[in-house]
Amino acid sequence: MSDESFYLTTPIYYVNATPHLGHAYTTILADTMARFQKLRLGPERVYFLTGTDEHGDKIAQAAAQGGETPQAYADRISGIFQETWKRLGLAPNQFIRTTSEPHKRAVQRFLQQIYDTGDIYFGEYGGQYCFGCERFYTEKELQDGKCPDHQTAPTFIKEQNYFFRMGKYQDWLIEHIRHNPDFIRPERFRNEVLSFLKDPLEDLCISRPRTRLEWGIPLPFDDKYVTYVWFDALINYISALDWPEGETFRRFWPSVQHLIAKDILKPHAIYWPIMLKAAGLTPYRHLNVHGYWKIEEAKMSKSRGSVVRPLDLADKYGVDAFRYFVLREMTFGLDAGFSEEALVARLNADLANDLGNLYSRVLKLIQRYYDGKISESPGGGALADATRTAMVDVTAATERFAFSEALAAIWNLISATNKYLVTNEPWKRDPGDAQTKAVLFNAAETLRAIAILLWPFLPQTAERMLQGLGISEPIGSIRVEEALSSPWHLASRQWQVQEVQPLFPRIEATAPRLKPAGTGAKPAPEKTESTAVPESVAEQIAIEEFRRVDLRVAEVIEAAAIPGSKRLVKLRVKLQNEERTVVAGLKEHYPPESWAGKRVIMVANLKPTKLMGIMSHGMVLAAEDEAGRIVLLTPEAPIASGSKVR
C-alpha cells in the first residue's frame, strides 16, 4: 500500500455566535470528504480537523455584554459547537481551540521565527477598520463606503503596530497560483485572487495594542501587544498537527487541503500561503471554496436576522435527510437558496420515493418469497455495469467536492435498479423460478453497493441498509475499490434479510414549516410511511373533498431555470385572461426550453407557497411510473386555457 495520506480542515468557527446552517454545511462537506477518503485509503490515513476561533474584539465584547469572562464565554460557545457536531454525526479527528496552551505556544513560535528573519517590523498605520470583521479595509474593498459583509461604515483608526511584510512575497504568490491551476478551486475564485493581486499588496498589521484589546495571544517579542486574530487563527492548521516536530505534522501536512466559504477567501488565499512561505513551510495543496446559502435571495447572516439552525432541521427531518439536502442542493462554488419546502420535496421524491421504495420493495419480496434468505446467484449483467459506472462517476465528482454530481450518479444507479425490477417484474414471477431468484439477488447486491457509495453522504442510512440486508461488516473497514471494482464477488453466499423498516417516511405536503431563528418555530409535521410495493389505490377520499380541487388547463408562456436548483423550473402560465407564476420540480425531465406553448393540467386553487425564494401559485400535474419515468398530464386535444377539468 502507498504512503498516501489525506488532511482536510474546515475554518475554525468564530465563537461570537452559535452554529448556523453555514457552519453546518462546511463541516458536513468536510465530514463527507473525510469519510470518502477513509473508504479509499483507510481510516488511519485520513485526518479531519475543525474547531473554534476564540480571540479578538468581538469575543471580548460579547462576553462583557453577557457578564462573563472571555474564557468562560468561549468555553460555553465552543461547547455548543462540539455538541452540535456530535448530534449531527460529524466525526473530526480533532476539535482544536485557539485558547489551548499548545496552540498559543505554536503561534508565538511561528511569530518569533518570522520576526527573527526580518519579516515583521514596527510601524504606524491609519486606515478604515471594521470591528465586526476585526480588520482594516482599503477603499477599493469597501462597497459604497461600507463593509461588504456587515454593511456598516468602518471607523478610521491610526495607531502604532507590528506589520508583516506581505508585499515582499507578492510576486512569488502570483507565480505559484499561475503554475498550480488547482491551488485555489473552483477556478472563479482563483481568478478573483489573481485579479486582487494585480494591485500592490499592502503589508499586514498583525498586532493590536493591549491598551484597547487584552483578549489575545501576546507577541513573544513585545508583550504590550496581542496577535491579530486572523494571524492567530490561521496557524491552527499546523498547531493541530504538533508543528514543527510532531510526527502527525510530518505525516499529514504534505497532503493538506483547506475547505472554506467564499467570505474568507482573502485570508486563506493570500495571508496564509505567504505566512507559510515566510516560515519556510510548503503551501497547502488545495484551497476549496464554496458559496453562500441564501434566504430569500440574501446571504444568510446573523446581523441581518436570517439564520437557519441546523439542529432544528435535523431534529425535525432526520440527520441524513438534512445532510442529503445540503449536499445535493448546492453546486460546489455557487450560491444556493435555502427553503424548507425544497428540503421536503427532496426528502419525499429522492429519499422516500426513489431510495426508500426500492429498498423496501426488494427486501419485502425476499422475505415474502424466501423467508428472508437468499443465496448467491451468478452474474450481475446490466446492474454490475451500472454499479461500476456509478463508482467511477462518484469518485471523480467527489475528488472535486462536486457532491451534488456524486449523489446524482448514485441516484442514476438507483434509477437503473428500479428500471431493472420493473422490466423483470419479480412480483409477478414464480418464487421457485431461478430467474426470479437471480433478479432479486442482483437487486439486493446492488443495494449493498448503493449503501457503500452512500456511506460518506448518508452514513446512518447506509449502515441501516446493510443491517437490513443482514451484512454485519462495518462500512469503515471496507475499501471501496475492493468492494465495488468487481461487484458481486464479495457478496455473502447467503444473506438473512431483516425485518423492513422504512428508511425515510414521507412528509405531508401540508405540514407546518420551521422559520429562520428569531421568527418562532411551529410543531413538527406528522409522518406517513412510503408505500413499499406496488399498490392499486391510495387512501380513499369523499367526493366532496375531491370537488374542492380546482383542476384547470393552463398554457405555458415561458419557462426559466432557477439558479442554484437542479430540479425546479419557473413557469409563467396563462389561465384564460390571468397570468401566474408556478414553480415545477420537473427540470430534470422537462428542461426550460421544452415548456413554451405546452398546455398542462394544474391545480389552480392550491395555497401559494415559496420555493427557492419564488412564490408559486399552483401545481403542474405529472404522472410517474415505477421506473421513475415522468410524463406531463396534458389535454388530448386543443382546448382553451383556463378550461376546467371535470
Side-chain angles (χ1 to χ4, degrees):
M1 183 180 287
S2 72
D3 291 331
E4 184 181 359
S5 62
F6 186 84
Y7 175 36
L8 181 65
T9 75
T10 72
I12 49 174
Y13 304 114
Y14 210 34
V15 293
N16 65 319
T18 53
H20 57 58
L21 175 61
H23 299 126
Y25 175 67
T26 308
T27 317
I28 288 170
L29 288 178
D31 182 79
T32 300
M33 178 61 86
R35 288 175 185 273
F36 176 80
Q37 296 298 338
K38 287 174 182 177
L39 286 181
R40 193 175 72 85
L41 302 172
E44 71 283 352
R45 296 180 181 274
V46 177
Y47 205 90
F48 162 28
L49 175 71
T50 190
T52 43
D53 180 7
E54 303 177 14
H55 290 124
D57 283 322
K58 286 192 287 188
I59 308 309
Q61 293 167 7
Q65 290 171 2
E68 297 177 275
T69 65
Q71 186 64 64
Y73 173 86
D75 290 345
R76 180 170 60 83
I77 303 299
S78 181
I80 294 172
F81 271 93
Q82 293 178 64
E83 179 61 23
T84 299
W85 297 164
K86 181 179 179 181
R87 288 177 60 185
L88 289 177
L90 307 178
N93 293 79
Q94 182 182 350
F95 188 101
I96 190 170
R97 299 182 57 189
T98 57
T99 52
S100 69
E101 290 304 320
H103 175 74
K104 292 178 184 178
R105 289 194 296 270
V107 169
Q108 291 185 323
R109 181 165 183 170
F110 191 97
L111 283 163
Q112 189 66 56
Q113 183 171 317
I114 59 176
Y115 178 79
D116 291 344
T117 62
D119 281 335
I120 292 177
Y121 64 92
F122 190 70
E124 186 174 76
Y125 179 80
Q128 301 293 340
Y129 188 80
C130 174
F131 284 92
C133 296
E134 301 193 39
R135 56 163 287 200
F136 287 98
Y137 276 94
T138 64
E139 292 294 338
K140 183 178 179 180
E141 292 176 298
L142 298 175
Q143 294 179 358
D144 298 324
K146 296 180 179 179
C147 165
D149 188 38
H150 294 90
Q151 294 298 305
T152 56
T155 302
F156 183 83
I157 291 179
K158 185 175 184 179
E159 61 189 9
Q160 291 184 320
N161 268 307
Y162 284 88
F163 295 84
F164 171 52
R165 299 185 192 277
M166 284 210 308
K168 172 182 175 180
Y169 297 95
Q170 181 169 1
D171 291 342
W172 165 82
L173 181 58
I174 292 171
E175 288 304 304
H176 184 80
I177 294 172
R178 286 176 174 169
H179 285 93
N180 296 274
D182 60 353
F183 182 61
I184 302 168
R185 56 188 191 180
E187 185 180 11
R188 67 179 64 84
F189 296 111
R190 173 179 178 269
N191 294 338
E192 182 179 328
V193 172
L194 286 173
S195 177
F196 183 86
L197 289 171
K198 289 178 180 179
D199 294 328
L201 195 59
E202 294 184 354
D203 291 344
L204 179 66
C205 178
I206 57 98
S207 67
R208 300 292 183 264
R210 295 180 75 169
T211 53
R212 71 174 177 88
L213 177 63
E214 279 283 345
W215 186 238
I217 300 175
L219 298 183
F221 40 81
D222 190 341
D223 64 4
K224 295 189 296 296
Y225 291 84
V226 295
T227 309
Y228 170 44
V229 66
W230 265 113
F231 213 87
D232 161 5
L234 289 165
I235 294 170
N236 94 90
Y237 301 133
I238 58 174
S239 70
L241 301 182
D242 300 326
W243 170 83
E245 292 90 3
E247 172 61 23
T248 310
F249 177 77
R250 184 200 66 77
R251 183 179 186 188
F252 286 103
W253 182 253
S255 64
V256 63
Q257 297 192 34
H258 299 311
L259 175 64
I260 64 167
K262 65 182 183 179
D263 58 336
I264 51 175
L265 175 63
K266 183 178 178 181
H268 284 83
I270 297 177
Y271 301 175
W272 183 224
I274 289 179
M275 288 166 63
L276 292 167
K277 178 68 173 176
L281 297 174
T282 305
Y284 50 78
R285 183 174 294 181
H286 301 298
L287 178 64
N288 305 285
V289 188
H290 69 74
Y292 292 144
W293 283 100
K294 293 188 172 183
I295 308 294
E296 297 181 352
E297 302 304 313
K299 176 195 170 188
M300 188 177 62
S301 168
K302 173 176 174 280
S303 60
R304 296 171 187 168
S306 56
V307 173
V308 175
R309 300 297 179 195
L311 285 181
D312 291 345
L313 295 167
D315 288 346
K316 184 174 179 181
Y317 299 110
V319 168
D320 276 6
F322 173 58
R323 283 179 70 114
Y324 179 78
F325 174 76
V326 297
L327 292 169
R328 186 72 188 267
E329 193 74 9
M330 182 181 279
T331 299
F332 190 80
L334 300 178
D335 295 344
F338 174 84
S339 78
E340 200 169 349
E341 289 81 5
L343 188 158
V344 171
R346 284 230 180 256
L347 191 161
N348 285 340
D350 298 359
L351 299 178
N353 187 38
D354 295 345
L355 176 62
N357 278 356
L358 173 64
Y359 171 80
S360 296
R361 182 180 298 130
V362 172
L363 268 62
K364 284 190 174 183
L365 286 170
I366 292 173
Q367 287 180 330
R368 183 188 305 170
Y369 287 175
Y370 310 114
D371 293 326
K373 298 177 181 179
I374 189 165
S375 301
E376 186 173 0
S377 181
L383 287 183
D385 294 337
T387 301
R388 280 187 282 268
T389 298
M391 189 194 74
V392 171
D393 292 347
V394 169
T395 300
T398 301
E399 294 284 4
R400 297 181 285 110
F401 284 84
F403 295 145
S404 182
E405 292 180 28
L407 285 166
I410 296 173
W411 253 251
N412 287 339
L413 180 58
I414 292 170
S415 177
T417 310
N418 270 316
K419 184 176 181 180
Y420 174 78
L421 290 174
V422 170
T423 300
N424 289 280
E425 297 183 316
W427 47 83
K428 293 184 179 180
R429 292 178 175 270
D430 180 356
D433 183 53
Q435 180 63 20
T436 304
K437 187 176 181 181
V439 167
L440 289 176
F441 178 85
N442 290 337
E445 170 58 13
T446 308
L447 281 175
R448 182 188 74 90
I450 289 168
I452 293 170
L453 289 172
L454 268 180
W455 183 71
F457 308 91
L458 309 180
Q460 295 178 9
T461 301
E463 289 164 6
R464 287 178 59 198
M465 289 175 67
L466 289 189
Q467 290 168 5
L469 289 166
I471 299 173
S472 59
E473 182 181 10
I475 295 183
S477 66
I478 295 172
R479 299 285 76 75
V480 68
E481 286 88 351
E482 296 173 3
L484 301 182
S485 59
S486 298
W488 287 266
H489 83 284
L490 289 181
S492 303
R493 291 196 174 274
Q494 181 166 298
W495 292 350
Q496 177 62 60
V497 170
Q498 307 300 305
E499 182 180 352
V500 180
Q501 298 294 330
L503 293 178
F504 293 96
R506 288 183 61 84
I507 303 297
E508 293 290 355
T510 56
R513 303 287 177 251
L514 294 172
K515 295 183 178 181
T519 63
K522 294 184 178 180
E526 295 182 359
K527 296 183 178 180
T528 60
E529 266 194 36
S530 176
T531 304
V533 294
E535 299 285 351
S536 58
V537 294
E539 180 184 355
Q540 294 182 342
I541 62 172
I543 188 65
E544 290 77 14
E545 293 179 83
F546 175 74
R547 285 172 177 161
R548 294 178 59 199
V549 181
D550 185 16
L551 299 178
R552 300 275 179 170
V553 176
E555 180 184 359
V556 180
I557 300 171
E558 63 180 10
I562 297 177
S565 175
K566 290 185 174 295
R567 297 174 64 92
L568 301 180
V569 61
K570 178 183 176 182
L571 308 176
R572 186 159 63 92
V573 303
K574 183 178 180 181
L575 290 168
Q576 288 184 316
N577 298 321
E578 176 192 357
E579 290 188 5
R580 295 188 186 184
T581 296
V582 176
V583 176
L586 299 170
K587 180 181 172 184
E588 294 172 312
H589 304 273
Y590 291 88
E593 59 271 16
S594 70
W595 285 89
K598 286 186 182 297
R599 277 179 163 75
V600 297
I601 308 299
M602 65 174 284
V603 181
N605 63 337
L606 192 66
K607 185 177 179 179
T609 187
K610 183 173 287 188
L611 298 170
M612 297 287 287
I614 300 170
M615 290 302 298
S616 179
H617 299 268
M619 176 187 292
V620 174
L621 300 184
E624 181 177 7
D625 64 17
E626 290 179 335
R629 189 170 65 98
I630 291 179
V631 178
L632 279 171
L633 299 187
T634 60
E636 68 172 1
I639 192 169
S641 66
S643 298
K644 188 173 179 63
V645 177
R646 300 183 184 277

